[in-house]
């Protein structure tokens, strides 16, 4: 199936192997070995990303900006096809893109110690900082309304009125949790109406596996720029809080294992504010913990809405998979809220020390 793709990128010779790579839910990824060179090949999910050329545009625009202004920054530029395109379209397989594999780099799936959280937060913060002079309005929208919480709430309400009756019945407790936490939506409305929350170049997918690490587990750069779009810092910071603080992921079925690890929170504060203390406004800094609540709540809504709509977006590996994922996220939200006062002190003390 991949042969036409190899031909399009002129890497057919000596293909040693193409092995599935990474753990994303949306795109398919392979690592390709071709004699001396290694590549990362991705099949873009065209049901989700309707305009893959918009992704290519954004990568080129920001990539060229970074190469010009910060030549030392490692930015993974896509490999061109033999026709000088960034993306290859195959009738059978859809859209593909190829990136060089960065030697002596690796990705991590689970945040195993606070240093990793620090490195990742430092990399995402650095990315935002280096691109603060780039006009985010130039970026194309690759996924409309992706982190628009009003839209996600509306999607949930639609699922609630049109979704599977039996699933709605089974989800009563979580449906109630959606409404109990609606203040998160109210806060979001205030944020988008407030010009002190800047529209920035936003990655929108800051999970640890989207950071490249070197052999000493130092962060090298961020990858996976599919959802690079104009947005708010609460998206990037929030998804780090959502995915690095707990020792278990959104897949965990035993909710008693979900926890907020304070030392990981401190690592994120140091990594992220270490890069962005002069860039973020006071209003933005005051929403540090809110960012986590925002992303956790949105992910809970998305999993729950998908469950009610019979798993059309995320798919499921077992019967109540998306209900479990939603329950997991609501538990995480509760634990974060419970620890808010303690965590806020770490944000405040960073500011006292460095501001
Ligand atoms: C999806 O494909 P993946 O795993 O990188 C989703 C994210 C969710 C995540 C939850 C385009 O990301 O928004 O946070 O699943 N990406 C898209 O695991 O919907
Ligand atoms: Mg992704």
């Amino acid at each position: 199936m991949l042969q036409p793709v190899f031909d399009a990128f002129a890497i057919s010779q000596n293909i040693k192997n193409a092995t599935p790579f990474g753990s994303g839910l949306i795109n398919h990824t392979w690592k390709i070995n071709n004699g001396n060179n290694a590549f990362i090949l991705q099949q873009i999910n065209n049901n989700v990303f309707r305009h893959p050329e918009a992704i290519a545009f954004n990568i080129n625009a920001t990539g060229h900006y970074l190469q010009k202004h910060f030549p030392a920054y490692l930015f993974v530029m896509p490999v061109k096809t033999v026709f000088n395109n960034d993306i290859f379209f195959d009738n059978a397989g859809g859209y593909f893109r190829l990136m060089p594999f960065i030697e002596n780099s690796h990705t991590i799936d689970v945040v195993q110690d606070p240093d990793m959280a620090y490195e990742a937060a430092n990399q995402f913060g650095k990315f935002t900082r280096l691109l603060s002079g780039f006009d985010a309005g130039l970026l194309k929208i690759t996924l409309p309304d992706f982190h628009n919480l009003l839209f996600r709430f509306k999607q949930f309400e639609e699922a609630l009125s049109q979704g599977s009756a039996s699933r709605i019945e089974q989800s009563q407790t979580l449906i109630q949790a959606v409404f109990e936490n609606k203040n998160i939506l109210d806060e979001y409305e205030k944020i988008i109406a407030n010009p002190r929350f800047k529209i920035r170049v936003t990655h929108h997918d800051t999970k640890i596996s989207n950071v490249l690490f070197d052999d000493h587990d130092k962060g090298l750069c961020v990858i996976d720029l599919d959802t690079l779009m104009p947005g708010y810092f609460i998206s990037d910071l929030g998804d780090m809080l959502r995915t690095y603080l707990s020792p278990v992921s959104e897949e965990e079925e035993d909710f008693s294992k979900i926890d907020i690890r304070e030392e990981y929170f401190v690592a994120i504060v140091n990594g992220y504010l270490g890069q962005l203390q002069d860039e973020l406004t006071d209003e933005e800094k005051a929403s540090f913990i809110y960012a986590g609540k925002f992303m956790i709540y949105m992910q809970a809504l998305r999993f729950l809405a998908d469950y009610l709509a019979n798993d059309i977006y995320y798919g499921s590996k077992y019967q109540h998979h998306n209900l479990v994922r939603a329950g997991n996220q609501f538990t995480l939200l509760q634990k974060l809220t419970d620890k808010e006062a303690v965590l806020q002190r770490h944000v405040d003390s960073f500011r006292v020390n460095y501001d």
Side-chain angles (χ1 to χ4, degrees):
M1 170 199 137
L2 293 177
Q3 192 55 47
V5 185
F6 299 152
D7 292 341
F9 287 102
I11 56 161
S12 293
Q13 289 153 347
N14 303 321
I15 294 281
K16 296 270 189 298
N17 49 39
T19 40
F21 195 78
S23 55
L25 297 178
I26 305 296
N27 294 328
H28 281 132
T29 308
W30 296 265
K31 185 175 175 191
I32 313 281
N33 264 308
N34 152 10
N36 294 327
N37 296 317
F39 300 91
I40 294 293
L41 177 68
Q42 271 197 318
Q43 181 184 35
I44 303 172
N45 182 334
N46 196 215
N47 287 324
V48 173
F49 295 100
R50 293 285 176 190
H51 303 285
E53 57 300 335
I55 300 176
F57 175 91
N58 289 347
I59 293 177
N60 274 313
T62 50
H64 286 132
Y65 177 89
L66 289 169
Q67 281 178 345
K68 182 168 168 217
H69 297 276
F70 304 98
Y73 180 73
L74 176 63
F75 186 88
V76 188
M77 277 297 213
V79 178
K80 302 266 189 202
T81 68
V82 288
F83 296 113
N84 206 32
N85 293 318
D86 293 304
I87 295 179
F88 169 65
F89 178 75
D90 175 57
N91 280 328
Y95 293 91
F96 290 86
R97 58 149 173 240
L98 191 74
M99 269 90 55
F101 178 81
I102 305 297
E103 286 309 320
N104 304 316
S105 78
H106 65 277
T107 53
I108 293 169
D109 269 332
V110 183
V111 186
Q112 285 146 348
D113 73 63
D115 288 346
M116 288 176 180
Y118 171 85
E119 288 296 324
N122 181 59
Q123 284 302 323
F124 282 113
K126 181 177 181 184
F127 188 69
T128 302
R129 182 172 61 74
L130 297 186
L131 285 164
S132 58
F134 179 94
D135 178 4
L138 297 174
L139 295 177
K140 297 199 190 293
I141 307 295
T142 59
L143 272 183
D145 291 319
F146 185 43
H147 282 188
N148 176 353
L149 190 58
L150 287 162
F151 170 78
R152 295 299 179 191
F153 197 85
K154 208 169 78 205
Q155 256 188 342
F156 162 76
E157 285 180 321
E158 271 163 27
L160 200 53
S161 68
Q162 290 156 30
S164 146
S166 61
R167 285 186 167 209
I168 291 172
E169 187 58 44
Q170 285 152 358
S171 310
Q172 280 310 311
T173 316
L174 295 189
I175 291 170
Q176 208 184 322
V178 169
F179 291 104
E180 280 165 5
N181 287 288
K182 221 182 151 190
N183 61 309
I184 296 173
L185 183 66
D186 302 337
E187 184 67 29
Y188 173 75
E189 292 197 73
K190 287 189 201 144
I191 285 178
I192 59 176
N194 184 349
R196 297 286 291 162
F197 284 81
K198 297 199 181 157
I199 307 276
R200 303 174 182 283
V201 176
T202 306
H203 184 284
H204 286 111
D205 192 7
T206 56
K207 62 166 84 75
I208 195 80
S209 58
N210 283 336
V211 176
L212 279 190
F213 287 86
D214 72 10
D215 292 342
H216 306 287
D217 281 342
K218 294 278 176 236
L220 286 169
C221 65
V222 307
I223 53 171
D224 185 2
L225 303 182
D226 296 341
T227 50
L228 192 72
M229 286 182 278
Y232 294 98
F233 90 102
I234 52 173
S235 284
D236 284 357
L237 172 61
D239 221 28
M240 289 195 268
L241 296 171
R242 184 180 82 82
T243 57
Y244 307 170
L245 291 181
S246 174
V248 293
S249 78
E250 64 199 20
E251 297 296 328
E252 181 59 55
E253 296 166 54
D254 179 355
F255 298 168
S256 71
K257 293 186 179 157
I258 298 172
D259 191 19
I260 299 292
R261 299 175 294 182
E262 217 174 310
E263 67 277 29
Y264 287 72
F265 182 83
V266 173
I268 296 174
V269 170
N270 290 339
Y272 198 68
L273 290 185
Q275 289 287 342
L276 291 171
Q277 56 186 326
D278 297 332
E279 180 53 41
L280 297 178
T281 65
D282 286 343
E283 289 81 352
E284 287 175 319
K285 286 178 190 164
S287 290
F288 200 97
I289 296 171
Y290 173 78
K293 293 193 198 172
F294 163 75
M295 282 305 297
I296 297 168
Y297 184 62
M298 180 156 59
Q299 194 62 59
L301 273 179
R302 292 177 69 192
F303 282 142
L304 185 56
D306 199 38
Y307 180 71
L308 303 182
N310 293 315
D311 314 316
I312 44 175
Y313 188 83
Y314 284 112
S316 68
K317 296 207 171 81
Y318 57 92
Q319 211 194 356
H320 302 299
H321 196 163
N322 282 312
L323 182 64
V324 171
R325 286 164 164 163
N328 168 308
Q329 294 293 288
F330 274 117
T331 304
L332 183 63
L333 179 61
Q334 187 59 51
K335 301 229 165 160
L336 179 62
T337 307
D338 291 346
K339 269 208 179 158
E340 189 165 0
V342 181
L343 301 179
Q344 185 60 44
R345 266 183 247 139
H346 293 297
V347 180
D348 296 341
S349 66
F350 180 92
R351 299 186 62 189
V352 169
N353 291 335
Y354 296 91
D355 265 12

